[in-house]
Amino acid sequence: MKKLFYILAALTLLGAHAGGAERYNLIPMPASLTAREGSFTLREGMAMSLPAGDGYVRGAEILLEEIKTAGGPAIKVTTKGRNAAITVFADAAIAPEGYSLKVDRRGVSITCSTPQGMFYALATLRQLLPAQVYGGSGSGPWSIPCVEITDAPRFGYRGAHLDCCRHFMSVDFVCRYIDLMSRYKLNRFHWHLTDDQGWRIEIKKYPLLTSVGSVRPQTLIGHKRNLPHTFDGVPHGGYYTREDVRRVVDYAAARGVMVIPEIEMPGHATAAVAAYPFLACGLKEKYEVACSWGVFEDGFCPKQTTFTFLEDVLREVAEMFPAPYIHIGGDECPKVAWKQCPHCQSLIREKGLNGEAGLQSYFMHHMDNFVNSLGRTAIGWDEILEGGISPNAVVMSWRGYEGGIEAARLNHSVIMAPHKQCYLDYYQEPRATAPLAQGGNLPLDSVYMLEPVPPMLTADQAKYIMGVQANCWVEYLPTPSHVEYMVFPRLGALAEVAWTPADRKDRDSFHRRLETEFDRFERMGVRACQYERKNR
Ligand code: TNX
């Protein structure tokens, strides 16, 4: 009797897997998915028909080239819709990032209203194809399981951040990072370009920012809390030219990703101050690009020459980046230098500011206004709430949910990136066997269980939560492969938080889908952390 029970239970499970979601190993899970029997097979010489418009061709070619490179059939692109294997229909009634995807035994049809929507339909299609599409060996057939999907994102802002200051990351790697995030339907790349340990973006008007500010003489070895500190004696540098930036922005645009640059102020500015000491309060004889991590005492001094410099910088940044947002930092600015600086103290008195906190707020208001004058919106870390928030700024809530809650209640847009759930430089496995990391403890499931809309917000306030972002700081991640190790598989969990309706999230199903994802990582040469795979 007992045996029969187990056999029946096993059969039920098998049935669920054959007809249910696990035939479709999609990350993030779509808003709605109906399983269908049967499959459709792509063959040599078949066609893909697209609506007119440049963005459609570019987006489609990315997948078609991938299929060909993986040894699959060559599919022709056409704008004449007859008898195509894959047909993309434009329909203005579909949400801008939404799509529907129907696979039956005769072919694939996609309906969307923008190239972005098509790109997401194709991201889904890629995950429905055999894993061979990701590279490595395989012999086809190029079959796609029948299915009906109607999909659209939960949040408009679905971000991934990469610090390229603590360690310089090549343009090739930045593009790979963007490609990998776009496969998860993430659409905002937050590019951290300036910090104490290196200024990484070419500014024509201020060449010393890169000739001096992009190079540090050496780097701390091991973790900062291990004393005494030792250094490697090897200079570390690198920066992005205008040409590099254009390449990254174009590459991202073809994948539906907006690139949001960050220029840090008034803190995290040691590299800029080392290049142009007039930007500091001038209490030291010499300023040097930082070789260790943490928070440094010398930031920008809030004087007219500094504002002029930052305005010039932001003007060039706005020329290089088409995004409607510029991130202007605002975090972790110690007030040590400002306290001792006669100019700062007289400014506080003259403007009737509330001490150094008021001065920081004065600084950020000034720059927020300037960003607005460029026709852009400023984003700042949640410290911009202190001393009174700038009227138009978007708050990136990193120290927890509190900053985001406060901002939403003040009718400010919010991006949730609470460090305890979103910081991919924290450990994801027991420390004894893990490579060096920042500290903290962030297992995969904690990322997965993140809920970006705090329950205490009213429905009206909740509308201000634009979305969510994972941050990857690289103090302890000097190489691309180390970055990949920390980012994957956790970025997949974040993507499901950002895209999938909350009531469709299912942790067990996510873990089952991840099995296929690990196969894809191997095929793409992504060095994902294997801990969750081996210990479940
Ligand atoms: C805090 S998040 C920082 C970064 C560090 C990070 C390390 C934020 C606005 N500031 O400067 O790299 O912690 O986890």
Side-chain angles (χ1 to χ4, degrees), residues 305-317:
T305 42
T306 307
F307 287 136
T308 304
F309 164 87
L310 285 170
E311 289 165 11
D312 291 340
V313 167
L314 290 178
R315 213 175 279 116
E316 288 197 30
V317 166

Side-chain angles (χ1 to χ4, degrees), residues 249-312:
V249 167
D250 285 353
Y251 186 89
R255 286 158 181 78
V257 175
M258 174 197 294
V259 182
I260 301 174
E262 181 184 0
I263 305 297
E264 275 266 24
M265 62 191 78
H268 285 294
T270 312
V273 163
Y276 292 100
F278 75 82
L279 298 168
C281 290
L283 306 170
K284 286 186 187 155
E285 255 171 43
K286 198 169 160 38
Y287 296 89
E288 280 176 340
V289 182
C291 301
S292 174
W293 322 120
V295 173
F296 296 82
E297 286 177 2
D298 299 298
F300 291 124
C301 181
K303 54 195 169 191
Q304 190 48 50
T305 42
T306 307
F307 287 136
T308 304
F309 164 87
L310 285 170
E311 289 165 11
D312 291 340

Side-chain angles (χ1 to χ4, degrees), residues 161 163 166 192 195-197 262 264 268 293-295 327 329-332 381-383 396 398-399 417 419 423 425-426 438-439 471-476:
H161 147 290
D163 169 11
R166 275 56 179 269
H192 188 72
D195 215 307
D196 302 301
Q197 298 83 2
E262 181 184 0
E264 275 266 24
H268 285 294
W293 322 120
V295 173
H327 199 307
D331 64 309
E332 300 183 321
W381 300 108
D382 58 48
E383 285 93 331
M396 189 168 269
W398 75 277
R399 289 178 297 177
H419 69 103
Y423 273 33
D425 55 335
Y426 291 2
Q438 169 72 37
N471 289 344
C472 184
W473 302 99
V474 303
E475 288 94 332
Y476 301 107

